[in-house]
PDB file of all heavy atoms in Angstrom:
ATOM      1  N   GLY A  36     211.461  94.863 -20.562  1.00 97.00           N
ATOM      2  CA  GLY A  36     210.049  94.637 -20.873  1.00 97.00           C
ATOM      3  C   GLY A  36     209.800  93.401 -21.707  1.00 97.00           C
ATOM      4  O   GLY A  36     208.650  93.006 -21.915  1.00 97.00           O
ATOM      5  N   VAL A  37     210.888  92.755 -22.191  1.00 98.00           N
ATOM      6  CA  VAL A  37     210.750  91.536 -23.001  1.00 98.00           C
ATOM      7  C   VAL A  37     210.912  90.320 -22.103  1.00 98.00           C
ATOM      8  O   VAL A  37     211.920  90.184 -21.394  1.00 98.00           O
ATOM      9  CB  VAL A  37     211.801  91.504 -24.138  1.00 98.00           C
ATOM     10  CG1 VAL A  37     211.756  90.162 -24.870  1.00 98.00           C
ATOM     11  CG2 VAL A  37     211.562  92.650 -25.118  1.00 98.00           C
ATOM     12  N   LEU A  38     209.925  89.447 -22.128  1.00 98.00           N
ATOM     13  CA  LEU A  38     209.974  88.191 -21.383  1.00 98.00           C
ATOM     14  C   LEU A  38     210.238  87.060 -22.375  1.00 98.00           C
ATOM     15  O   LEU A  38     209.558  86.953 -23.393  1.00 98.00           O
ATOM     16  CB  LEU A  38     208.650  87.948 -20.649  1.00 98.00           C
ATOM     17  CG  LEU A  38     208.652  86.785 -19.652  1.00 98.00           C
ATOM     18  CD1 LEU A  38     209.438  87.179 -18.388  1.00 98.00           C
ATOM     19  CD2 LEU A  38     207.225  86.389 -19.272  1.00 98.00           C
ATOM     20  N   ILE A  39     211.217  86.216 -22.072  1.00 98.00           N
ATOM     21  CA  ILE A  39     211.588  85.105 -22.958  1.00 98.00           C
ATOM     22  C   ILE A  39     211.106  83.804 -22.337  1.00 98.00           C
ATOM     23  O   ILE A  39     211.405  83.507 -21.170  1.00 98.00           O
ATOM     24  CB  ILE A  39     213.121  85.079 -23.173  1.00 98.00           C
ATOM     25  CG1 ILE A  39     213.583  86.374 -23.851  1.00 98.00           C
ATOM     26  CG2 ILE A  39     213.525  83.851 -23.999  1.00 98.00           C
ATOM     27  CD1 ILE A  39     215.063  86.636 -23.736  1.00 98.00           C
ATOM     28  N   LEU A  40     210.336  83.050 -23.110  1.00 98.00           N
ATOM     29  CA  LEU A  40     209.848  81.738 -22.677  1.00 98.00           C
ATOM     30  C   LEU A  40     210.467  80.667 -23.571  1.00 98.00           C
ATOM     31  O   LEU A  40     210.348  80.736 -24.795  1.00 98.00           O
ATOM     32  CB  LEU A  40     208.320  81.654 -22.791  1.00 98.00           C
ATOM     33  CG  LEU A  40     207.480  82.751 -22.125  1.00 98.00           C
ATOM     34  CD1 LEU A  40     205.999  82.481 -22.348  1.00 98.00           C
ATOM     35  CD2 LEU A  40     207.792  82.841 -20.641  1.00 98.00           C
ATOM     36  N   GLU A  41     211.134  79.699 -22.957  1.00 98.00           N
ATOM     37  CA  GLU A  41     211.741  78.604 -23.710  1.00 98.00           C
ATOM     38  C   GLU A  41     211.092  77.283 -23.314  1.00 98.00           C
ATOM     39  O   GLU A  41     211.106  76.911 -22.131  1.00 98.00           O
ATOM     40  CB  GLU A  41     213.244  78.512 -23.414  1.00 98.00           C
ATOM     41  CG  GLU A  41     214.054  79.691 -23.919  1.00 98.00           C
ATOM     42  CD  GLU A  41     215.528  79.562 -23.556  1.00 98.00           C
ATOM     43  OE1 GLU A  41     215.846  78.978 -22.497  1.00 98.00           O
ATOM     44  OE2 GLU A  41     216.345  80.047 -24.347  1.00 98.00           O
ATOM     45  N   LEU A  42     210.506  76.594 -24.288  1.00 98.00           N
ATOM     46  CA  LEU A  42     209.990  75.252 -24.043  1.00 98.00           C
ATOM     47  C   LEU A  42     211.187  74.356 -23.764  1.00 98.00           C
ATOM     48  O   LEU A  42     212.127  74.292 -24.560  1.00 98.00           O
ATOM     49  CB  LEU A  42     209.202  74.762 -25.261  1.00 98.00           C
ATOM     50  CG  LEU A  42     208.051  75.689 -25.695  1.00 98.00           C
ATOM     51  CD1 LEU A  42     207.437  75.203 -26.992  1.00 98.00           C
ATOM     52  CD2 LEU A  42     206.997  75.802 -24.601  1.00 98.00           C
ATOM     53  N   ALA A  43     211.175  73.661 -22.618  1.00 98.00           N
ATOM     54  CA  ALA A  43     212.414  73.085 -22.100  1.00 98.00           C
ATOM     55  C   ALA A  43     212.343  71.576 -21.887  1.00 98.00           C
ATOM     56  O   ALA A  43     212.602  71.074 -20.787  1.00 98.00           O
ATOM     57  CB  ALA A  43     212.803  73.800 -20.805  1.00 98.00           C
ATOM     58  N   ARG A  44     211.998  70.842 -22.957  1.00 97.00           N
ATOM     59  CA  ARG A  44     212.158  69.382 -22.952  1.00 97.00           C
ATOM     60  C   ARG A  44     212.906  68.990 -24.236  1.00 97.00           C
ATOM     61  O   ARG A  44     212.383  68.244 -25.066  1.00 97.00           O
ATOM     62  CB  ARG A  44     210.798  68.673 -22.885  1.00 97.00           C
ATOM     63  CG  ARG A  44     209.987  68.954 -21.633  1.00 97.00           C
ATOM     64  CD  ARG A  44     208.684  68.143 -21.638  1.00 97.00           C
ATOM     65  NE  ARG A  44     208.920  66.753 -21.277  1.00 97.00           N
ATOM     66  CZ  ARG A  44     208.304  65.707 -21.856  1.00 97.00           C
ATOM     67  NH1 ARG A  44     207.457  65.891 -22.857  1.00 97.00           N
ATOM     68  NH2 ARG A  44     208.563  64.480 -21.463  1.00 97.00           N
ATOM     69  N   PRO A  45     214.134  69.516 -24.398  1.00 97.00           N
ATOM     70  CA  PRO A  45     214.815  69.349 -25.687  1.00 97.00           C
ATOM     71  C   PRO A  45     215.070  67.899 -26.074  1.00 97.00           C
ATOM     72  O   PRO A  45     215.052  67.562 -27.261  1.00 97.00           O
ATOM     73  CB  PRO A  45     216.122  70.120 -25.498  1.00 97.00           C
ATOM     74  CG  PRO A  45     216.306  70.248 -24.021  1.00 97.00           C
ATOM     75  CD  PRO A  45     214.934  70.297 -23.443  1.00 97.00           C
ATOM     76  N   GLU A  46     215.287  67.018 -25.082  1.00 96.00           N
ATOM     77  CA  GLU A  46     215.546  65.614 -25.409  1.00 96.00           C
ATOM     78  C   GLU A  46     214.317  64.957 -26.034  1.00 96.00           C
ATOM     79  O   GLU A  46     214.424  63.989 -26.777  1.00 96.00           O
ATOM     80  CB  GLU A  46     215.963  64.820 -24.162  1.00 96.00           C
ATOM     81  CG  GLU A  46     217.202  65.345 -23.447  1.00 96.00           C
ATOM     82  CD  GLU A  46     216.903  66.523 -22.540  1.00 96.00           C
ATOM     83  OE1 GLU A  46     215.714  66.768 -22.226  1.00 96.00           O
ATOM     84  OE2 GLU A  46     217.867  67.227 -22.163  1.00 96.00           O
ATOM     85  N   GLN A  47     213.138  65.467 -25.714  1.00 96.00           N
ATOM     86  CA  GLN A  47     211.878  64.959 -26.285  1.00 96.00           C
ATOM     87  C   GLN A  47     211.374  65.867 -27.409  1.00 96.00           C
ATOM     88  O   GLN A  47     210.187  65.838 -27.750  1.00 96.00           O
ATOM     89  CB  GLN A  47     210.799  64.843 -25.194  1.00 96.00           C
ATOM     90  CG  GLN A  47     211.073  63.812 -24.110  1.00 96.00           C
ATOM     91  CD  GLN A  47     212.032  64.308 -23.039  1.00 96.00           C
ATOM     92  OE1 GLN A  47     212.135  65.503 -22.780  1.00 96.00           O
ATOM     93  NE2 GLN A  47     212.749  63.394 -22.404  1.00 96.00           N
ATOM     94  N   LEU A  48     212.264  66.665 -27.988  1.00 97.00           N
ATOM     95  CA  LEU A  48     211.893  67.641 -29.026  1.00 97.00           C
ATOM     96  C   LEU A  48     210.798  68.578 -28.531  1.00 97.00           C
ATOM     97  O   LEU A  48     209.953  69.044 -29.288  1.00 97.00           O
ATOM     98  CB  LEU A  48     211.458  66.927 -30.322  1.00 97.00           C
ATOM     99  CG  LEU A  48     212.497  66.003 -30.954  1.00 97.00           C
ATOM    100  CD1 LEU A  48     211.932  65.359 -32.222  1.00 97.00           C
ATOM    101  CD2 LEU A  48     213.798  66.749 -31.264  1.00 97.00           C
ATOM    102  N   ASN A  49     210.828  68.834 -27.209  1.00 97.00           N
ATOM    103  CA  ASN A  49     209.864  69.731 -26.557  1.00 97.00           C
ATOM    104  C   ASN A  49     208.415  69.265 -26.719  1.00 97.00           C
ATOM    105  O   ASN A  49     207.481  70.080 -26.687  1.00 97.00           O
ATOM    106  CB  ASN A  49     210.028  71.174 -27.051  1.00 97.00           C
ATOM    107  CG  ASN A  49     211.408  71.718 -26.740  1.00 97.00           C
ATOM    108  OD1 ASN A  49     211.943  71.507 -25.654  1.00 97.00           O
ATOM    109  ND2 ASN A  49     212.021  72.389 -27.703  1.00 97.00           N
ATOM    110  N   ALA A  50     208.227  67.951 -26.909  1.00 96.00           N
ATOM    111  CA  ALA A  50     206.858  67.405 -26.933  1.00 96.00           C
ATOM    112  C   ALA A  50     206.203  67.689 -25.588  1.00 96.00           C
ATOM    113  O   ALA A  50     206.859  67.669 -24.538  1.00 96.00           O
ATOM    114  CB  ALA A  50     206.895  65.903 -27.206  1.00 96.00           C
ATOM    115  N   THR A  51     204.904  67.966 -25.611  1.00 95.00           N
ATOM    116  CA  THR A  51     204.231  68.368 -24.379  1.00 95.00           C
ATOM    117  C   THR A  51     203.824  67.150 -23.558  1.00 95.00           C
ATOM    118  O   THR A  51     203.027  66.332 -23.993  1.00 95.00           O
ATOM    119  CB  THR A  51     202.975  69.226 -24.673  1.00 95.00           C
ATOM    120  OG1 THR A  51     202.087  68.481 -25.508  1.00 95.00           O
ATOM    121  CG2 THR A  51     203.347  70.517 -25.364  1.00 95.00           C
ATOM    122  N   SER A  52     204.397  67.047 -22.370  1.00 94.00           N
ATOM    123  CA  SER A  52     203.909  66.110 -21.360  1.00 94.00           C
ATOM    124  C   SER A  52     202.617  66.684 -20.783  1.00 94.00           C
ATOM    125  O   SER A  52     202.232  67.817 -21.098  1.00 94.00           O
ATOM    126  CB  SER A  52     204.946  65.973 -20.250  1.00 94.00           C
ATOM    127  OG  SER A  52     205.180  67.252 -19.655  1.00 94.00           O
ATOM    128  N   SER A  53     201.956  65.924 -19.910  1.00 93.00           N
ATOM    129  CA  SER A  53     200.749  66.460 -19.250  1.00 93.00           C
ATOM    130  C   SER A  53     201.080  67.741 -18.494  1.00 93.00           C
ATOM    131  O   SER A  53     200.315  68.704 -18.508  1.00 93.00           O
ATOM    132  CB  SER A  53     200.155  65.419 -18.288  1.00 93.00           C
ATOM    133  OG  SER A  53     199.675  64.304 -19.014  1.00 93.00           O
ATOM    134  N   ARG A  54     202.241  67.764 -17.848  1.00 96.00           N
ATOM    135  CA  ARG A  54     202.658  68.949 -17.100  1.00 96.00           C
ATOM    136  C   ARG A  54     202.878  70.137 -18.039  1.00 96.00           C
ATOM    137  O   ARG A  54     202.402  71.241 -17.782  1.00 96.00           O
ATOM    138  CB  ARG A  54     203.949  68.634 -16.339  1.00 96.00           C
ATOM    139  CG  ARG A  54     204.599  69.847 -15.683  1.00 96.00           C
ATOM    140  CD  ARG A  54     204.143  70.047 -14.285  1.00 96.00           C
ATOM    141  NE  ARG A  54     204.456  71.379 -13.775  1.00 96.00           N
ATOM    142  CZ  ARG A  54     204.298  71.734 -12.503  1.00 96.00           C
ATOM    143  NH1 ARG A  54     203.865  70.850 -11.631  1.00 96.00           N
ATOM    144  NH2 ARG A  54     204.552  72.952 -12.101  1.00 96.00           N
ATOM    145  N   MET A  55     203.616  69.899 -19.121  1.00 97.00           N
ATOM    146  CA  MET A  55     203.906  71.011 -20.034  1.00 97.00           C
ATOM    147  C   MET A  55     202.637  71.533 -20.691  1.00 97.00           C
ATOM    148  O   MET A  55     202.467  72.750 -20.847  1.00 97.00           O
ATOM    149  CB  MET A  55     204.918  70.600 -21.113  1.00 97.00           C
ATOM    150  CG  MET A  55     205.275  71.753 -22.058  1.00 97.00           C
ATOM    151  SD  MET A  55     206.310  71.270 -23.463  1.00 97.00           S
ATOM    152  CE  MET A  55     207.918  71.715 -22.868  1.00 97.00           C
ATOM    153  N   HIS A  56     201.734  70.634 -21.055  1.00 95.00           N
ATOM    154  CA  HIS A  56     200.485  71.069 -21.699  1.00 95.00           C
ATOM    155  C   HIS A  56     199.712  72.005 -20.774  1.00 95.00           C
ATOM    156  O   HIS A  56     199.176  73.026 -21.205  1.00 95.00           O
ATOM    157  CB  HIS A  56     199.643  69.857 -22.090  1.00 95.00           C
ATOM    158  CG  HIS A  56     198.580  70.158 -23.105  1.00 95.00           C
ATOM    159  ND1 HIS A  56     197.311  70.579 -22.745  1.00 95.00           N
ATOM    160  CD2 HIS A  56     198.589  70.129 -24.460  1.00 95.00           C
ATOM    161  CE1 HIS A  56     196.590  70.771 -23.840  1.00 95.00           C
ATOM    162  NE2 HIS A  56     197.343  70.521 -24.890  1.00 95.00           N
ATOM    163  N   ARG A  57     199.660  71.647 -19.508  1.00 96.00           N
ATOM    164  CA  ARG A  57     198.998  72.510 -18.525  1.00 96.00           C
ATOM    165  C   ARG A  57     199.724  73.849 -18.409  1.00 96.00           C
ATOM    166  O   ARG A  57     199.105  74.915 -18.356  1.00 96.00           O
ATOM    167  CB  ARG A  57     198.970  71.785 -17.173  1.00 96.00           C
ATOM    168  CG  ARG A  57     198.451  72.612 -16.012  1.00 96.00           C
ATOM    169  CD  ARG A  57     196.948  72.661 -15.939  1.00 96.00           C
ATOM    170  NE  ARG A  57     196.526  73.392 -14.776  1.00 96.00           N
ATOM    171  CZ  ARG A  57     196.308  72.864 -13.565  1.00 96.00           C
ATOM    172  NH1 ARG A  57     196.486  71.570 -13.380  1.00 96.00           N
ATOM    173  NH2 ARG A  57     195.907  73.618 -12.568  1.00 96.00           N
TER     174      ARG A  57
END
Side-chain angles (χ1 to χ4, degrees):
V37 173
L38 190 74
I39 298 163
L40 307 180
E41 293 178 328
L42 304 174
R44 298 183 77 219
E46 302 81 15
Q47 294 80 27
L48 301 180
N49 299 318
T51 58
S52 59
S53 294
R54 171 92 196 189
M55 182 187 263
H56 198 271
R57 174 82 177 271

